[in-house]
Amino acid sequence: MIKKSMVKVEGMSVPCYSLNTLIIGSGIAGLNAALCLYEQGLRDMSVVTDGLGRGTSNNAGSDKQTYYKLSLSGSKPDSPEKMAHDLFKGRCMHGDLALCEAVNSVRCFMNLVRLGVPFPHDTYGSYVGYKTDNDPLGRATSAGPLTSHLICRRLIEEIKQKGIKIMDKHEVIALLDDGKDGQKQVKGAVAIDGDQLDSESMGFVVFNAVNVILATGGPAGMYKASVYPESQQGSTGLAFEAGAAGNNLTESQFGLASVKFRWNLSGTYQQVIPRYLSTDVNGRDEKEFLNPFFPDMGTLSTAIFLKGYEWPFDVEKIRNYGSSLIDVLVYRETVKKGRRVFLDYTQNPKGEGKMSGFDFSLLDEQAYAYLKKSGALFGTPVRRLKKVNLPAYRLYKDHGIDLERERLEMAVCAQHNNGGLKANIWWESNVKHLFPVGEVCGTHGVCRPGGSSINACLVGGLRAALFISKKYAHDPPGDEKFLKGSQDKISGTIEFARGILSKPGSGDFSLSKAAEEIKKRMSSYGAVVREKEAVFREKQKAWKLYRRLKKEITIRSKKELPKAFKCLDLCLTHAVYLEAVYEYLERGGKSRGSSMVLDPQGQKPCAALGEDWRYTCEKPGSYTAGRILEVSLDKDLFVKKKWVSIRPVPAHETWFENVWRDFRDDKFIKEEI
Ligand SMILES: Cc1cc2nc3c(=O)[nH]c(=O)nc-3n(C[C@H](O)[C@H](O)[C@H](O)COP(=O)(O)OP(=O)(O)OC[C@H]3O[C@@H](n4cnc5c(N)ncnc54)[C@H](O)[C@@H]3O)c2cc1C
């Protein structure tokens, strides 16, 4: 069971929890990992979170939030290997991880069904599916707009019912690690208890753990334009500092979202064809900014409609006035020109000359048929929205935005990190005993089917729990032994905290200013549009900011301690991500997925855009297309970069008797394959 003691560090008495597994984060990934460990018989573990109810899983959604699993209905044949190959087709995903996510998807999905998550089935019990993006078979299902929230709710209830310890309001600020024979190993963590900040020990808590499951979600806090919930910041820097490698850090998903209330502007929000407009920062100088770039009103209206089906920005969908040309133009307007962009649901798109006279007859066949079938060939966008999808209208109303009166401010926002920390088929990182699961773990590559993120969160926890229960289920060392290897890092962290509290303030260098710089840099240079020289310059600035923060950061009170550590974490994270983007561009990497790489030798997105918008898409067979970039830091924070070959989907044993024999002897647990 979990043992609590008090240990002396830096003259302070600090609570020390000794346990087998520390789970950091209370999103789907962390909560599910705890339950999987419990099912494997493990009891001395705890979920530690900076806030139960915070994070992406609990607070994000979409018009139909999707879970991607093996097809369980209909007459179209599916198989785990087929699904693995479809995941693998998303490019730069290791095939063995794709296979794990595919073969375990039914087990994880059915566990949610068993727990009471309301996934719909028909009279016969068939979990019918629908097609999501990058999905050839209709494997997707949904429990509605708040699928991930409903999953969290059920997982939390189950955790409480099983008596698994949750330590709330604990911000983990450092991982404790050790390196023997060049092999790094995690040994625990340092956290700050938000309820004890005013105590003599400043809320410091240490964890002496055999294993750490890191489920801290995507590094959302580094983006200014973001549809992640504000309560999700991310803590990937903790792992980089401990020597964990990132992979595919260049790959994220970006798309159009409202910014006042953060929500994806996908599906019906675009299919009712709202009017796009921009203004200056003060809301004046209104312009129909898309009009000059489209040949006529029919092409523009159809592109807006298609944005509903094709939500993530995709460089392959820019040409020929594709729907992703809209993302490019919104980015240009907001980031490059510093203007504000809005959707107006009270008026149809309008303009002059060939851009005048919005009419349904101008739409392409698909768009026209959709609106006709939905009985929505009439009126204004908001009237169509209310007719086709009233809950979508009400959603904004419930958040204080009446689309009948108010324009919706929007931007091209960060939504998901396909890349993240590197892990093997048991979700163990290159740092032994450290298991990144969920979005912090980068199992996916360039593209992924919509809904595969939730599946990855669940499969990762299941795999980590299996491995831990079979290989790493022993007790942690005694306090003395633990402190012998960890005291320096714990002391360093406490000393640093004392230092930033006692230093006189250095004028205008505030935490919020630093955070603002990080966000602006990532959204402007490390997100949707990338350019080599600019990224080189900005990564230098990122490291400069990190060094400056380390030296000059000051806080006014202990209350700001968690914020200070978070700012440092995000600063380190954004520097490492920019290193990855630069390395990718330096190797000749081109536009792919949700990121457009500017290239003077390439093609223009459309005739009316300037020369500086030329870009080229990645070609199959190129250096970057056939490899995965891994980036890590050594103990002096020197950046190491490595390009590794992509592992194919493995051929695996399917002869029942052999699998059964290995299973009986636990021989199926193989560390390295
Ligand atoms: C708008 C939107 C729509 C989406 N739609 C879909 C969809 O339809 N299908 C799909 O599969 N995916 C979707 N996703 C992605 C998916 O929701 C996330 O990838 C997933 O929920 C991440 O879960 P997680 O458990 O890894 O992280 P999170 O749910 O973000 O949880 C992270 C947890 O870690 C905690 N934490 C972080 N740092 C620390 C620290 N230092 N100390 C203590 N605690 C810490 C946080 O408080 C939080 O509890 C969507 C995402 C967004 C933003």
Side-chain angles (χ1 to χ4, degrees):
M1 294 315 273
I2 303 173
K3 190 184 117 224
K4 184 183 176 189
S5 58
M6 297 303 284
V7 294
K8 268 261 179 288
V9 204
E10 288 293 297
M12 285 185 338
S13 198
V14 174
C16 171
Y17 294 89
S18 297
L19 69 179
N20 175 266
T21 302
L22 173 71
I23 301 142
I24 310 172
S26 57
I28 291 179
L31 297 167
N32 174 68
L35 284 171
C36 290
L37 282 168
Y38 188 94
E39 272 161 28
Q40 294 302 320
L42 218 111
R43 295 292 180 268
D44 56 340
M45 63 167 140
S46 176
V47 175
V48 170
T49 176
D50 58 12
L52 195 60
R54 289 168 61 90
T56 309
S57 315
N58 247 300
N59 301 289
S62 62
D63 59 331
K64 206 161 69 188
Q65 204 185 13
T66 303
Y67 186 107
Y68 192 69
K69 43 126 198 68
L70 197 73
S71 180
L72 293 172
S73 75
S75 55
K76 281 195 191 144
D78 197 0
S79 76
E81 282 195 30
K82 217 177 196 166
M83 180 172 163
H85 282 282
D86 288 334
L87 288 168
F88 186 70
K89 270 189 213 147
R91 291 180 281 160
C92 293
M93 178 176 194
H94 287 303
D96 46 12
L97 294 172
L99 186 61
C100 289
E101 290 188 6
V103 296
N104 287 291
S105 72
V106 173
R107 180 172 174 178
C108 289
F109 173 71
M110 281 304 172
N111 187 43
L112 297 180
V113 171
R114 185 182 62 82
L115 290 177
V117 180
F119 286 107
H121 60 76
D122 68 8
T123 314
Y124 304 96
S126 177
Y127 288 91
V128 293
Y130 59 89
K131 263 194 184 188
T132 175
D133 39 325
N134 302 309
D135 163 29
L137 261 180
R139 296 186 177 110
T141 181
S142 171
L146 297 174
T147 303
S148 60
H149 170 75
L150 293 174
I151 297 174
C152 280
R153 228 161 62 188
R154 286 302 302 121
L155 293 174
I156 290 172
E157 280 162 15
E158 192 68 8
I159 281 192
K160 288 190 172 158
Q161 202 241 323
K162 293 205 158 31
I164 298 171
K165 189 175 172 68
I166 298 180
M167 295 176 71
D168 201 0
K169 295 192 206 156
H170 279 65
E171 171 98 26
V172 175
I173 56 168
L175 295 179
L176 300 169
D177 58 278
D178 203 354
K180 260 190 265 149
D181 311 323
Q183 175 57 66
K184 280 222 164 200
Q185 179 175 327
V186 82
K187 304 178 71 181
V190 182
I192 298 179
D193 177 351
D195 282 338
Q196 300 296 326
L197 284 167
D198 284 328
S199 69
E200 186 235 346
S201 65
M202 299 187 281
F204 274 95
V205 175
V206 294
F207 293 95
N208 166 18
V210 179
N211 309 294
V212 173
I213 293 185
L214 189 73
T216 48
M222 21 178 231
Y223 298 100
K224 186 174 166 67
S226 168
V227 66
Y228 284 95
E230 281 171 50
S231 67
Q232 174 57 18
Q233 297 286 307
S235 295
T236 316
L238 297 176
F240 287 143
E241 245 194 316
N247 67 183
N248 279 324
L249 298 180
T250 47
E251 307 311 313
S252 282
Q253 209 172 52
F254 303 95
L256 299 178
S258 53
V259 291
K260 191 165 143 195
F261 160 58
R262 295 180 173 192
W263 201 253
N264 287 3
L265 291 167
S266 58
T268 338
Y269 291 115
Q270 303 288 351
Q271 284 156 341
V272 298
I273 316 177
R275 168 185 170 236
Y276 279 66
L277 67 126
S278 74
T279 70
D280 65 18
V281 280
N282 301 313
R284 290 191 287 264
D285 185 30
E286 193 174 303
K287 283 196 174 115
E288 317 273 348
F289 70 100
L290 296 179
N291 287 7
F293 302 98
F294 282 84
D296 53 65
M297 178 53 84
T299 312
L300 169 64
S301 310
T302 301
I304 296 173
F305 173 87
L306 282 176
K307 197 75 256 180
Y309 285 129
E310 303 170 344
W311 181 78
F313 172 55
D314 181 349
V315 295
E316 304 285 349
K317 296 188 179 113
I318 299 173
R319 287 189 66 209
N320 300 323
Y321 307 104
S323 59
S324 281
L325 176 58
I326 297 177
D327 302 67
V328 176
L329 296 171
V330 172
Y331 175 87
R332 174 179 179 267
E333 207 69 4
T334 49
V335 178
K336 295 287 175 194
K337 296 177 78 181
R339 289 170 62 83
R340 299 168 70 187
V341 170
F342 299 86
L343 290 185
D344 176 6
Y345 285 86
T346 66
Q347 292 183 66
N348 288 317
K350 61 180 189 178
E352 284 164 14
K354 61 189 178 13
M355 299 310 292
S356 66
F358 171 82
D359 194 284
F360 298 109
S361 64
L362 300 173
L363 295 172
D364 82 352
E365 226 172 280
Q366 184 189 8
Y368 185 85
Y370 173 89
L371 289 172
K372 185 161 189 242
K373 271 193 199 154
S374 310
L377 287 174
F378 68 91
T380 57
V382 68
R383 287 189 59 210
R384 294 194 283 275
L385 185 66
K386 285 172 93 172
K387 164 91 189 187
V388 178
N389 188 349
L390 191 59
Y393 164 77
R394 286 203 180 126
L395 180 94
Y396 277 99
K397 190 110 196 263
D398 291 346
H399 288 86
I401 301 170
D402 185 350
L403 297 178
E404 277 190 313
R405 273 163 249 289
E406 201 179 322
R407 293 162 173 181
L408 201 52
E409 185 156 8
M410 48 116 70
V412 190
C413 293
Q415 192 240 14
H416 184 267
N417 193 188
N418 288 359
L421 297 173
K422 170 189 166 175
N424 67 13
I425 58 161
W426 301 103
W427 268 248
E428 187 175 23
S429 72
N430 56 309
V431 176
K432 290 281 171 201
H433 297 260
L434 174 65
F435 295 81
V437 303
E439 196 177 326
V440 73
C441 183
T443 55
H444 296 116
V446 180
C447 304
R448 61 176 179 96
S452 55
S453 176
I454 295 178
N455 185 55
C457 284
L458 297 164
V459 172
L462 170 70
R463 300 286 295 169
L466 266 174
F467 192 79
I468 288 171
S469 66
K470 301 286 181 200
K471 293 276 186 182
Y472 294 162
H474 51 277
D475 289 335
D479 288 354
E480 205 176 315
K481 191 167 173 206
F482 162 65
L483 282 178
K484 211 168 147 205
S486 312
Q487 183 123 17
D488 286 355
K489 180 94 184 246
I490 303 171
S491 295
T493 311
I494 294 175
E495 248 177 68
F496 179 78
R498 280 188 179 145
I500 63 176
L501 259 167
S502 61
K503 256 188 273 174
S506 62
D508 61 352
F509 192 52
S510 70
L511 282 178
S512 38
K513 248 190 164 172
E516 189 57 28
E517 183 179 328
I518 294 165
K519 287 173 200 289
K520 213 164 160 196
R521 177 172 298 119
M522 278 310 282
S523 283
S524 304
Y525 303 101
V528 190
V529 176
R530 297 169 182 183
E531 199 253 320
K532 198 168 100 178
E533 277 68 38
V535 175
F536 180 75
R537 182 189 69 226
E538 295 301 320
K539 83 177 174 77
Q540 309 289 84
K541 286 191 192 169
W543 283 114
K544 196 170 157 201
L545 180 67
Y546 183 68
R547 286 190 293 269
R548 220 184 135 193
L549 272 174
K550 277 272 198 192
K551 260 207 232 139
E552 296 177 27
I553 192 173
T554 57
I555 52 175
R556 285 178 296 259
S557 77
K558 290 175 187 169
K559 291 241 172 320
E560 286 189 328
L561 267 179
K563 200 169 151 197
F565 280 104
K566 183 62 81 187
C567 191
L568 269 170
D569 188 286
L570 287 174
C571 194
L572 182 64
T573 307
H574 98 304
V576 176
Y577 271 64
L578 287 171
E579 287 286 356
V581 175
Y582 181 71
E583 170 65 18
Y584 175 79
L585 299 176
E586 177 72 356
R587 285 284 177 170
K590 305 287 183 209
S591 308
R592 67 181 188 188
S594 235
S595 294
M596 178 183 186
V597 176
L598 299 179
D599 174 9
Q601 316 305 324
Q603 63 190 332
K604 289 210 279 178
C606 64
L609 263 173
E611 290 299 313
D612 47 342
W613 285 94
R614 287 187 180 275
Y615 74 107
T616 313
C617 286
E618 183 179 69
K619 298 218 165 43
S622 64
Y623 185 85
T624 54
R627 292 168 182 79
I628 290 176
L629 170 61
E630 295 182 358
V631 179
S632 60
L633 300 174
D634 71 7
K635 65 177 174 24
D636 302 314
L637 301 190
F638 181 78
V639 184
K640 297 186 286 184
K641 297 162 182 170
K642 195 167 136 194
W643 288 90
V644 300
S645 300
I646 302 167
R647 301 189 294 273
V649 177
H652 59 116
E653 178 66 83
T654 51
W655 187 252
F656 182 80
E657 272 65 20
N658 294 348
V659 171
W660 189 18
R661 189 188 50 237
D662 281 0
F663 183 77
R664 287 195 308 261
D665 302 338
D666 277 353
K667 281 197 187 135
F668 69 96
I669 301 270
K670 294 174 185 150
E671 279 179 57
E672 298 295 339
I673 295 189

